[in-house]
Amino acid sequence: MKKIILFLTLAFLVASQTVQECPKDGSVFRCSSEPLEVCGIKSLNGQQIKETFVNSCQACSIGKVEFTIQGKCEDYLQEAQFCSPSEKHVQECAGQIESKCAWFDQQVKCLVYPCALNVKNKCSGCKIKNVLYTTEGECPK
């Protein structure tokens, strides 16, 4: 019984996350075709490549992406640089200053636009809880 409760709790936590990291070992899964569209992200030469997939399982096994974000890629700003799961856990950021706008995920309910915060670089933005991505320059007013 305890194992069932633990499994259901873990399943709920995974389902409620906006960002999901793909296995790094290149595992291939048997995936359903149940649509729950995600934006798959992979890095190539320091740039993020974004592609919409039917679901996270297909993105991770077929698309060979590093992580997924709920929703179609087109649902987000084109210039969005998503925070990877590893960037969320960085302890210390380099001192390089390159002004960024850090955008919050849907869990943060903002009263005014933009639902974002000015930060000194992508690293410092991604460390903030519920920041989903950054864009170049200062946040719009």
Side-chain angles (χ1 to χ4, degrees), residues 58-100:
Q58 288 188 9
C60 289
S61 63
I62 298 169
K64 301 299 181 203
V65 300
E66 296 164 25
F67 61 99
T68 62
I69 312 290
Q70 288 176 343
K72 299 178 191 176
C73 298
E74 299 79 29
D75 293 344
Y76 298 97
L77 296 174
Q78 184 176 2
E79 64 271 17
Q81 291 297 302
F82 291 98
C83 299
S84 71
S86 61
E87 289 174 306
K88 298 300 274 177
H89 303 292
V90 171
Q91 297 295 319
E92 197 84 23
C93 293
Q96 187 176 13
I97 297 177
E98 43 188 42
S99 185
K100 301 282 184 182

Side-chain angles (χ1 to χ4, degrees), residues 6 23 28 40 44 54 57 72 84 86 106 123 125 136-138:
L6 178 61
V28 177
L44 183 63
V54 172
C57 180
K72 299 178 191 176
S84 71
S86 61
Q106 295 173 346
C123 177
E136 293 289 327
E138 292 195 4

Side-chain angles (χ1 to χ4, degrees), residues 31-36 54-55 58:
C31 299
S32 76
S33 58
E34 184 175 337
L36 182 56
V54 172
N55 57 39
Q58 288 188 9

Side-chain angles (χ1 to χ4, degrees), residues 103-116:
W103 296 82
F104 290 103
D105 63 24
Q106 295 173 346
Q107 293 177 357
V108 175
K109 304 297 181 205
C110 295
L111 299 176
V112 295
Y113 179 85
C115 194

Side-chain angles (χ1 to χ4, degrees), residues 15 17 20 27 40 42 60 66 69 71 83 100 114 121-122 126:
Q17 291 178 333
Q20 184 175 338
S27 299
K42 61 183 164 186
C60 289
E66 296 164 25
I69 312 290
C83 299
K100 301 282 184 182
N121 55 35
K122 183 179 182 200
C126 288

